[in-house]
Amino acid sequence: MSLVVYLGALVFGMSSVLLLRRPRTAVRNPLTLSTCVAIALGALVFVCAAPATLAAVNDLTGIPNFGAPLTYGMLSAYSCAVLVLLINWRGGPRERVRRMVLRSIAAYGGLVAAIVVLFALAEADTERLTDLDTYYANTPFMREMILLYLVGHSAAMLVMCVVCVKWGREVTGLLRTGLRLILCGALLDVLGFQLAKYTAVVARWSGHDLDFLSTTLAPPMASLAALLCAAGFVLPRLLPPALAQWRGLGDYRRLDPLWSLVKSVSTAPKPSVAWWQLPQDRLQWREVSIHDALLTLAPYFDHRVRERVRDTALSAGRSPHEARLAAEAAMLTDAARRAAAREEPPETAGTYRLHATEVSGTGGLVELAQALHRQPAAAPPTAAGPTTEPEEPHVA
């Protein structure tokens, strides 16, 4: 059981690490910071609740069941962090947000203090690692401590449900999806974990034994609920940049034909590329290097090649844009060949601005790279005389 709980804590905590990949930026962002704190505390709750951890804490302190107030206090801190996260996520005037955050911290700080005091007053000399809630359900002060931590956690989850339902009507897209996941997690926590705990404890009060609800059903329900809540908090924050990195990786690969053609003439300084470097960082360097190479090859542009390929493409029924890309790809291939052979620039060379340099972003370069990829494998056209009058080159 402890291994399963530790694995849950690891998965739960990894999302916090992903959000905190840039600590300096995250610390200045209350939303990111509160998200990381809430998820990290949730992971710590898992760690503290594991029987192996409880036994180690009890042995280390020499106090039977000392792990109980530690776990319950950590769970209360997690409940508070969830409320703080919701407050920061909802936003509003800074003073109002700050006031609500301080009130939440004060309320749950008092709850944690009460848990510690009640445990100190109780007589709980028999160590219980898995069934403490039901075993001490009728013990003075322990009974109140158990009920207090359950009520505090229930309050936070119910508030979360209300906020998710209300706010879910006002937002769309990933934020709504995240809120629905959080709502599912909160409902599963209320119905699967808390209701099972309440039922088992109340059954003990009435002389019945439904301990399996507390020891067998509640723990996995709590784990699943926490993971759903973590996914809901993290999804709207991580999915957009993750998709951007995925698109960056795709563009980086689609630029391969163009980069293979011009990399020998690029003079851009090559940075140290590590395996963990993000795709968008790699893409940015490749884009800069390609633009540098295009400037180097510009004197070798032969407009007769471009015009002939353009006219041929138009005659074949291709659109003006497709014809221009095919013509520029052929002209660039010819220029790269001339530069590699150290030939003199052609007589028709002039200032010409490629479509890829007219548009912002990587889209133009990707289109040029794909036009190069679609070129026939045959050698590039030579600078034979044009069949029509050459048009006036575009001025940069």
Side-chain angles (χ1 to χ4, degrees), residues 294 297-303 331-332 334-335 346 348-350 352 354:
L294 294 179
L297 291 176
Y300 294 94
F301 288 169
D302 190 338
H303 299 294
M331 181 178 67
L332 184 60
D334 179 72
T348 59
Y352 178 80
L354 297 170

Side-chain angles (χ1 to χ4, degrees), residues 150-207:
L150 284 174
V151 169
H153 187 56
S154 298
M157 293 299 107
L158 290 174
V159 169
M160 185 187 295
C161 290
V162 172
V163 171
C164 289
V165 171
K166 183 178 179 181
W167 195 12
R169 299 168 183 167
E170 305 173 7
V171 297
T172 58
L174 280 178
L175 189 54
R176 174 178 285 182
T177 303
L179 287 172
R180 288 176 177 173
L181 284 172
I182 296 170
L183 178 61
C184 290
L187 289 174
L188 187 60
D189 189 292
V190 171
L191 300 177
F193 172 73
Q194 296 171 35
L195 185 59
K197 287 283 187 179
Y198 282 124
T199 303
V201 169
V202 172
R204 279 285 187 165
W205 292 350
S206 59

Side-chain angles (χ1 to χ4, degrees), residues 366-385:
V366 171
E367 286 184 318
L368 181 57
Q370 296 308 297
L372 284 167
H373 181 66
R374 290 190 296 268
Q375 274 191 141
T382 58

